[in-house]
Amino acid sequence: MGLLQAGQDHRAVRGLAATGGWRLRVPEVVSGGDRPPVALVTGGGGDIGRAIALRLAQMSDAVAIVDRDETAAGAVAQLVEKAGARALAIRADVSSARETAAFVEAVETRLGPIGIFANNAGIEGVVAPLHEYPDETFDQLLQVNVKGVFLGLKHVIARMMQRGTGAIINTASTSAIRGRAGLAGYVASKHAVLGLTRTAALDVARTRIRVNAVLPGPVESRMIRELEGQARDSAIALRRSAAIAHGRPQDVASVVAFLASDEAAHVNGAAWVVDGGMTLA
């Protein structure tokens, strides 16, 4: 397992590996055949991202974990290796076109062709009424949650198109299909993720590439604890059914694994809600 910083020159990386500056298993490039696919998980250092990476490690030859927190990415990569898959941790900003192009290139160079892409990175913003919502926070949410998803789709699909196959799962939210008081930036960004999912699915519909979205409800994670804490402080109610417990990151990861598998070969452009029925309550 090693840690790359997006944009780092591959020749320099090889030199560091050779001199012991950092540890990386340098594998042969996977060129297809019967070997399991290589998986890429953005936002892989977070609670849901970690669960996705570990679940995909059970069905992949290798898993690349991209996160802006290098320590978190490295910790997940170690868990992936313990699960039996090769791993690569990369520190990157998904909202940067340059860094996205670099980490996609690094994954394919170091691990092999990307067969599964969990486009999962995202941030929550703040809880505030729309008329008080900070402009800079709204802009940041669009940069990470929308542009980051767009860039991931753009660069990974371009690679998958060369092979004509692949599975992409975007992490949206039940906020993609409903409004939520106090979450203007988050709700707008997740509606956009669902729109990008459906558009990308149509763009690749004549290939064996599939693009779907998973829509988690409240999940036990740092993000939901942060949002619920802000809501309590601001007296804004985040509507949810008290009778339905929060989900677990593993619940989301299991649906991602299904959508990445051959069992979902005819599933494209779909929005899979994972919320225990909360949106119906």
Side-chain angles (χ1 to χ4, degrees):
M1 183 275 293
L3 175 70
L4 287 179
Q5 182 171 356
Q8 189 172 10
D9 184 83
H10 291 164
R11 290 166 298 179
V13 167
R14 284 193 291 270
L16 284 170
T19 58
W22 56 289
R23 295 184 299 109
L24 171 66
R25 297 177 184 174
V26 183
E28 295 297 323
V29 173
V30 179
S31 57
D34 296 329
R35 297 190 67 176
V38 170
L40 166 62
V41 183
T42 60
D47 295 290
I48 292 176
R50 177 174 60 250
I52 291 172
L54 291 175
R55 183 64 183 83
L56 294 181
Q58 299 174 24
M59 55 192 292
S60 304
D61 178 70
V63 181
I65 300 96
V66 174
D67 203 281
R68 61 185 177 180
D69 183 338
E70 64 182 90
T71 301
V76 174
Q78 290 179 344
L79 293 174
V80 166
E81 286 192 330
K82 288 180 181 178
R86 296 176 298 142
L88 178 63
I90 302 175
R91 180 179 62 226
D93 175 4
V94 298
S95 69
S96 164
R98 179 185 63 82
E99 293 192 22
T100 299
F103 72 67
V104 170
E105 170 68 23
V107 172
E108 295 226 332
T109 299
R110 296 290 168 181
L111 298 180
I114 298 166
I116 300 171
F117 176 33
N119 202 1
N120 172 71
I123 58 175
E124 70 272 13
V126 301
V127 178
L130 191 147
H131 60 284
E132 298 175 1
Y133 206 89
D135 292 355
E136 61 275 13
T137 302
F138 191 86
D139 290 343
Q140 185 182 25
L141 279 159
L142 295 187
Q143 278 292 110
V144 176
N145 293 4
V146 182
K147 187 178 180 183
V149 168
F150 163 76
L151 289 171
L153 287 168
K154 178 178 180 178
H155 288 280
V156 172
I157 287 175
R159 300 293 182 124
M160 288 181 172
M161 288 292 286
Q162 298 172 13
R163 302 179 286 272
T165 187
I168 299 174
I169 304 93
N170 296 325
T171 300
S173 164
T174 51
S175 293
I177 55 174
R178 67 189 307 174
R180 295 190 190 278
L183 295 177
Y186 186 76
V187 169
S189 71
K190 292 303 183 178
H191 272 69
V193 170
L194 189 52
L196 285 169
T197 300
R198 290 167 170 165
T199 299
L202 290 172
D203 284 343
V204 301
R206 293 183 181 276
T207 72
R208 290 187 296 124
I209 301 168
R210 299 176 290 105
V211 185
N212 293 289
V214 62
L215 281 58
V219 170
E220 289 295 345
S221 63
R222 180 211 58 80
M223 179 180 287
I224 195 64
R225 289 190 293 270
E226 174 65 23
L227 287 174
E228 291 184 340
Q230 288 187 46
R232 284 192 296 271
D233 293 341
S234 63
I236 293 176
L238 297 182
R239 182 178 176 273
R240 60 176 290 262
S241 172
I244 301 175
H246 286 170
R248 305 169 303 156
Q250 295 91 330
D251 298 325
V252 181
S254 293
V255 176
V256 170
F258 165 70
L259 293 172
S261 75
D262 290 341
E263 297 296 318
H266 202 55
V267 180
N268 189 33
W272 284 68
V273 173
V274 188
D275 73 344
M278 197 172 293
T279 53
L280 305 176

